[in-house]
Amino acid sequence: QWRRVMGDDPSRYPAGSRVGGVVQSVRHPVENVDWHACVEATRRLGLVLPTEAQWEYAARAGTGTPWWTGEQRDSLVGAVNLGDQAARRAGATWAAIQDWLELDDGFTVHAPVDYDRANPFGLHGVHGNVWEWCLDELLPYDAPARDGDGLRAGDGATARVFRGGGFRNTAAQARVSCRMGDVPGKRSSDVGLRPARPVDDDGGDGARRAADDRDAPDDSAPPSRDA
């Protein structure tokens, strides 16, 4: 998707590269993308970046536990990609590897976008793999939120939010409630995006129709995976 609409692949680990014995493919998420580029890429696809509230709602999928999988860290096995023994075998020295010595997800860096168990909403990779940019400025939780989509914005904050944790992180950093952020020009090999698709009040797909009206590509994947 990213290559098709942006004409490049900015990833630190692009398709065709080999990392820890795994050949990265086009099924792996794009990363090393800044917030501005993500806004533009989603616009060209007729999609949007989710607000932080929308991201958390989707990631929780009706649950109220630290991870959608449950209360205990071990519940994440098969549903997460974090700093683990696969990374250690490849020579990584990330501190997160020592946090959960029993974890071995098989990937040194990011994994294909649908490699893991999906949450109850059918979304893959909401814990770990790559962090995902959101639309909001990084503001306190008690900052006013816009009706409808919950957007927090307007005080001139320079940082933008990303959520979900990445392949270098601990399970605690991949909690649904964990919030991180950086300046919108930040690029990192473990930060990507999860597009969302706006829908009309009547349940129709407004973004798809808008894309059709301007002859934009209309074959983008649903927002159940990283781009």
Side-chain angles (χ1 to χ4, degrees), residues 59-72:
R60 287 192 181 281
T63 67
T65 50
W67 307 278
W68 71 258
T69 56
E71 293 277 357
Q72 303 302 317

Side-chain angles (χ1 to χ4, degrees), residues 80-198:
V80 74
N81 176 16
L82 299 169
D84 70 330
Q85 294 307 298
R88 182 192 61 78
R89 289 193 299 272
T93 58
W94 309 321
I97 296 171
Q98 301 302 315
D99 182 68
W100 190 357
L101 293 176
E102 298 78 20
L103 182 66
D104 191 336
D105 57 48
F107 294 93
T108 302
V109 293
H110 51 70
V113 295
D114 56 356
Y115 81 100
D116 59 349
R117 287 188 285 135
N119 75 5
F121 285 179
L123 306 180
H124 298 267
V126 297
H127 299 306
N129 217 26
V130 294
W131 293 90
E132 298 161 1
W133 284 110
C134 295
L135 194 58
D136 308 61
E137 296 173 1
L138 182 60
L139 297 173
Y141 255 134
D142 58 1
R146 187 168 69 186
D147 289 342
D149 62 5
L151 181 71
R152 292 184 180 91
D155 79 338
T158 57
R160 294 297 189 273
V161 176
F162 44 78
R163 302 289 294 263
F167 59 80
R168 294 192 181 97
N169 296 118
T170 65
Q173 292 168 313
R175 298 187 323 275
V176 174
S177 61
C178 185
R179 308 170 70 222
M180 297 290 286
D182 213 318
V183 294
K186 170 74 172 182
R187 295 175 59 179
S188 176
S189 61
D190 62 351
V191 178
L193 71 155
R194 179 182 299 272
R197 186 188 303 282

Side-chain angles (χ1 to χ4, degrees), residues 1-15 24-34 37-38 41-42 45 49 110-113 129-133 167 187-195 225-227:
Q1 287 177 282
W2 188 280
R3 285 181 176 180
R4 186 170 71 244
V5 301
M6 299 297 280
D8 65 356
D9 184 353
S11 297
R12 172 66 177 79
Y13 307 107
Q24 308 296 102
S25 76
V26 294
R27 301 299 303 161
H28 288 245
V30 69
E31 25 82 2
N32 203 34
V33 288
D34 67 36
C38 291
T42 52
L45 285 165
L49 284 182
H110 51 70
V113 295
N129 217 26
V130 294
W131 293 90
E132 298 161 1
W133 284 110
F167 59 80
R187 295 175 59 179
S188 176
S189 61
D190 62 351
V191 178
L193 71 155
R194 179 182 299 272
R225 302 166 180 166
D226 299 326

